[in-house]
Amino acid sequence: MTAPDTPALLWSPSPERIARSQLRRYMDWLARERNLHFADYHALWRWSVEDIEAFWASLWDYFQIKAYKPYTKVLGKREMPGAEWFIGAEVNFVDQVLRHETAERPAILYAAEQAPLREMSWVTMREQVASVAACLRRQGIKRGDRVVAYAPNTPQTLIAFLATASIGAIWSVCAPDMGLNAVLDRFRQIEPVALFAVPGCDYGGKHHDKTDVLAEMVAALPTLRNVILMPATGGHCPNLPASLSQVQWDDIIAQPAELQVEPLPFDHPLWIVYSSGTTGLPKPIVHGHGGILLVILSMMALHNDLGPDDIFHWYSSTGWIMWNAQIAGLLCGSTIALYDGSPSWPDWTRLWRFAGETKATFFGAGAAFFANCLKAGVKPREIADLSNLRSVGSTGSPLSEDSYAWIYRELGKDVWLTSISGGTDFAGAFVGGCVLLPVYIGEMQCRCLGADIQAYDDNGNPLTDEVGELVCASPIPSMPLYLWNDKDGSRYRESYFDMYPGKWRHGDWLRITPRGGAIIYGRSDATINRYGLRLGTAEIYRAVEELPEVLDSLVVDLEYLGRDSYMPLFVVLRPGVNLDAALKEKINQAIRKAVSARFVPNDIFQVAEVPRTLSGKKLEVPVKKILLGQPAEKVSNPGTMANPGSLAWFVDFARQRLQDRGAA
């Protein structure tokens, strides 16, 4: 692919912005304390990936990580997978949060569709964490036990997480908009002993009763011993088994307790998050206290330029890794602003009005949110006081050039846009923002510190100014400790290291620009990336192919730079069955119930057969490439296919779709 000329310059940092930035302070500290001097960000980045031990050790000292025991060595083993970080150190994520306790500013600002703006002080947050942690201990929950939540984006969910982490138990959360099957596919794998849950929630102007879902969920999780019902619209959940210990949230926080934070090994599990491949159940990814602490501190402070004077909002549900990033704003001492509900109810101005009400200095959302605001003609500064806004963040999918232009047209030239790309898999960003650098339209500013990111061709050769596979060539502390129930590590290796042994392949198309910036073009594999939430195709197939009318199915996500996500579903039906409106709705309802409404396809088409390999694997990636305009002969080998003639239908479909797009 030929690179374009230098894109339009949208923003350059002022000398004042550079001088007061967190990154400039860190570089000054390196000069003063380490005698390390760097001419610019790119020189700093090169050092951070060439001398990774010195870089990560510098963050440990710069952020003054509280350690119950010091480390004896920064990096024990350097290979991937299997790198061992900060050998001997004992820490706890919660300490880095609560060290910022102050009476001068709130810890949390929060609102919901049916609830006005409120605030929670640092003292109240700590007290409630202590009470919930004491309750968990009374219930016999101990270090290493799994504690899960089916809960929305509220302060109570954050407090439940901090309480769980403080005692050394392992946290995992799913959002209430996820279907029962999707939740069980995740929670059943990790055998939780306790569940935080809401009996109902509000979304899109409607109340959603969750009592029956909770009853089914509890019945399907035999390891559960305790249920803690959190405050929510909808009240109690009377149909849970009497054998379970049930406690109401308000009763817990009414009992004061002293907070006891457990010292934990650097690599002790903090949380389990889920990322899907194209086959099998979602991958339960285990991240450690110490690795998450260092990587997210680097992301929040150095790349997002957050500090104690900031009010940080990044819209997210609890089912997205950006919820973890949102709450991590507390690690920098920032006030975090949580909103629970639909970003489009009653219209696309709601989050901008929330930003004005909270006086947010940083506003983040998925790229699809900004695209929808553009289409809806939203004028943020006309409907909200955004005079405090300094920074805007975007992630989840590639941000189009139109959205870049809209942000600067509507929010003004003084606002810094930091577009980032990373993943649930390592709970961080590979490419992102740098407040020291200019912003060019359509381009992320830099590769992140400590992230040795390259674009590789199929043979493992680095590419310059060409599109290739996004590869991380050196370990990062927040890479997974392991996948749950992956005893021999085979699934972990197959997920990230099969294509380039010893190098992390992320599954995105990447181009490194001559300016040192980066452009993500979309997924290079068959994983669905729907508005920032990734899902394995297998989860959709399970929902669809359980229907008696459907014999087989294939789904692809045609997300690509500058285009809206378009996800068609192709189905093979039983003889005599036609794909009418009623069957389409039945298929969509099956996906809503089992997975999530987010993953309802844009279109459903009937096909005679699904292309498969000789071993029976669905040819998702070749079909995706054909639908993106690549010739069939370049993306598939008929000799390896069970039914090579099946591709002809998709070639014709792609040709017609491209003609229709051109005519439009």
Side-chain angles (χ1 to χ4, degrees):
M1 180 179 294
T2 302
D5 295 332
T6 302
L9 176 66
L10 295 177
W11 179 87
S12 292
S14 67
E16 294 77 18
R17 184 72 190 259
I18 292 173
R20 68 172 185 262
S21 69
Q22 302 294 333
L23 189 53
R24 181 69 262 170
R25 293 175 190 175
Y26 169 63
M27 293 175 73
D28 290 344
W29 181 90
L30 286 174
R32 185 173 62 252
E33 301 294 330
R34 298 287 197 271
N35 196 31
L36 292 169
H37 304 268
F38 301 102
D40 55 23
Y41 175 81
H42 300 297
L44 175 66
W45 175 80
R46 282 192 296 274
W47 167 75
S48 77
V49 297
E50 290 171 357
D51 195 348
I52 61 175
E53 294 186 46
F55 168 67
W56 292 107
S58 77
L59 294 192
W60 179 282
D61 292 340
Y62 179 71
F63 289 116
Q64 299 177 340
I65 301 300
K66 177 180 176 179
Y68 297 90
K69 288 184 179 178
Y71 62 86
T72 57
K73 192 174 185 181
V74 174
L75 187 56
K77 291 195 299 182
R78 182 166 179 154
E79 65 261 26
M80 293 189 289
E84 298 174 346
W85 291 94
F86 291 89
I87 310 301
E90 289 190 352
V91 297
N92 193 301
F93 180 98
V94 177
D95 285 319
Q96 186 67 31
V97 169
L98 296 180
R99 69 185 298 172
H100 297 290
E101 182 178 320
T102 177
E104 295 180 1
R105 56 189 178 276
I108 308 170
L109 299 170
Y110 58 102
E113 287 187 0
Q114 305 298 331
L117 182 64
R118 289 167 288 179
E119 68 177 50
M120 179 179 287
S121 69
W122 287 86
V123 170
T124 299
M125 183 178 73
R126 175 179 50 78
E127 290 174 345
Q128 293 194 10
V129 169
S131 295
V132 176
C135 173
L136 294 176
R137 284 194 172 98
R138 288 194 300 271
Q139 292 176 335
I141 296 168
K142 60 187 184 302
R143 180 186 296 201
D145 284 342
R146 276 76 65 209
V147 175
V148 297
Y150 182 68
N153 185 24
T154 62
Q156 289 78 22
T157 307
L158 163 60
I159 288 163
F161 158 65
L162 292 175
T164 299
S166 74
I167 68 171
I170 307 170
W171 170 263
S172 192
V173 61
C174 285
D177 68 345
M178 293 182 69
L180 176 63
N181 289 357
V183 174
L184 291 176
D185 280 349
R186 288 154 174 78
F187 287 170
R188 270 196 289 225
Q189 295 188 72
I190 66 172
E191 299 179 309
V193 299
L195 168 69
F196 289 90
V198 290
C201 62
D202 295 306
Y203 192 88
K206 298 178 181 179
H207 176 68
H208 301 270
D209 183 274
K210 295 293 179 179
T211 52
D212 290 342
V213 173
L214 278 183
E216 291 185 65
M217 187 185 304
V218 167
L221 295 172
T223 55
L224 277 182
R225 302 194 305 264
N226 308 283
V227 175
I228 298 170
L229 291 174
M230 305 170 77
T233 53
H236 298 275
C237 191
N239 51 351
L240 297 183
S243 58
L244 279 177
S245 166
Q246 295 183 48
V247 187
Q248 293 288 332
W249 181 272
D250 289 344
D251 293 336
I252 296 173
I253 63 173
Q255 301 181 56
E258 290 295 321
L259 181 62
Q260 302 173 33
V261 177
E262 289 281 324
L264 302 168
F266 185 89
D267 60 355
H268 183 81
L270 172 64
W271 58 45
I272 298 173
V273 292
Y274 306 90
S275 184
S276 297
T278 55
T279 59
L281 293 171
K283 299 190 294 287
I285 298 170
V286 184
H287 292 137
H289 274 251
I292 289 295
L293 189 57
L294 284 176
V295 170
I296 295 191
L297 265 173
S298 175
M299 188 66 228
M300 292 297 112
L302 303 183
H303 285 284
N304 283 353
D305 197 32
L306 291 176
D309 296 329
D310 282 293
I311 296 173
F312 174 50
H313 168 71
W314 199 300
Y315 176 76
S316 178
S317 75
T318 52
W320 189 19
I321 195 64
M322 292 312 298
W323 179 80
N324 306 64
Q326 162 80 99
I327 63 176
L330 295 170
L331 295 172
C332 307
S334 301
T335 296
I336 60 172
L338 307 179
Y339 182 78
D340 181 45
S342 168
S344 61
W345 190 85
D347 55 45
W348 288 103
T349 69
R350 181 62 189 101
L351 290 185
W352 296 111
R353 288 186 279 113
F354 176 69
E357 292 164 7
T358 58
K359 297 181 170 54
T361 61
F362 190 112
F363 178 97
F369 171 79
F370 298 107
N372 280 305
C373 287
L374 184 161
K375 293 173 185 175
V378 173
K379 302 283 186 183
R381 290 198 180 275
E382 293 182 9
I383 51 91
D385 178 5
L386 301 177
S387 55
N388 291 283
L389 188 63
R390 299 187 304 120
S391 309
V392 170
S394 173
T395 195
S397 57
L399 187 67
S400 69
E401 291 190 2
D402 287 346
S403 293
Y404 271 81
W406 179 86
I407 288 168
Y408 276 97
R409 183 171 67 249
E410 298 299 335
L411 297 178
K413 297 297 183 182
D414 292 334
V415 169
W416 168 52
L417 169 61
T418 169
S419 181
I420 69 174
S421 182
T424 298
D425 314 75
F426 69 106
F430 281 142
V431 294
C434 174
V435 77
L436 309 183
L437 298 174
V439 174
Y440 294 96
I441 193 166
E443 185 173 315
M444 300 178 194
Q445 291 173 285
C446 65
R447 288 172 279 188
C448 291
L449 295 174
D452 189 2
I453 303 305
Q454 310 290 336
Y456 275 17
D457 66 15
D458 289 346
N459 297 317
N461 300 310
L463 299 171
T464 301
D465 207 19
E466 294 183 53
V467 177
E469 290 278 354
L470 191 161
V471 170
C472 186
S474 301
I476 292 174
S478 65
M479 285 178 175
L481 301 175
Y482 47 85
L483 306 185
W484 198 265
N485 289 332
D486 183 28
K487 301 295 185 184
D488 61 358
S490 58
R491 193 180 185 198
Y492 184 16
R493 290 190 298 274
E494 291 166 3
S495 296
Y496 307 105
F497 304 101
D498 61 341
M499 189 168 182
Y500 308 108
K503 313 286 185 184
W504 175 290
R505 173 194 174 246
H506 196 55
D508 283 338
W509 278 308
L510 167 76
R511 177 165 65 88
I512 303 297
T513 73
R515 294 159 295 282
I519 300 174
I520 300 289
Y521 289 84
R523 296 294 295 172
S524 62
D525 61 16
T527 305
I528 303 297
N529 182 13
R530 197 72 165 157
Y531 312 121
L533 297 179
R534 292 184 181 178
L535 189 84
T537 52
E539 297 193 65
I540 294 177
Y541 297 147
R542 278 197 296 274
V544 172
E545 293 171 19
E546 284 181 357
L547 298 175
E549 298 89 344
V550 180
L551 294 176
D552 203 357
S553 62
L554 181 92
V555 65
V556 293
D557 180 17
L558 302 186
E559 174 214 19
Y560 202 72
L561 180 65
R563 303 178 186 174
D564 291 339
S565 171
Y566 176 70
M567 190 178 83
L569 172 68
F570 306 95
V571 293
V572 179
L573 302 180
R574 290 190 180 279
V577 176
N578 293 315
L579 184 64
D580 56 17
L583 181 53
K584 287 183 179 181
E585 180 56 25
K586 187 175 182 179
I587 292 171
N588 287 337
Q589 286 294 347
I591 295 171
R592 287 188 185 98
K593 181 178 180 182
V595 186
S596 168
R598 297 173 187 266
F599 293 94
V600 169
N602 294 92
D603 286 309
I604 306 175
F605 300 96
Q606 184 173 353
V607 295
E609 53 185 337
V610 166
R612 290 182 179 271
T613 65
L614 291 171
S615 62
K617 183 178 179 181
K618 300 181 186 187
L619 288 177
E620 295 163 315
V621 172
V623 167
K624 176 177 178 176
K625 290 180 177 180
I626 288 170
L627 298 187
L628 285 171
Q630 296 188 40
E633 60 270 17
K634 289 191 175 182
V635 300
S636 63
N637 180 357
T640 64
M641 290 184 63
N643 51 354
S646 62
L647 285 179
W649 187 95
F650 292 92
V651 171
D652 290 341
F653 177 83
R655 184 183 300 115
Q656 184 60 52
R657 183 168 180 269
L658 290 172
Q659 288 175 358
D660 293 344
R661 286 174 61 89

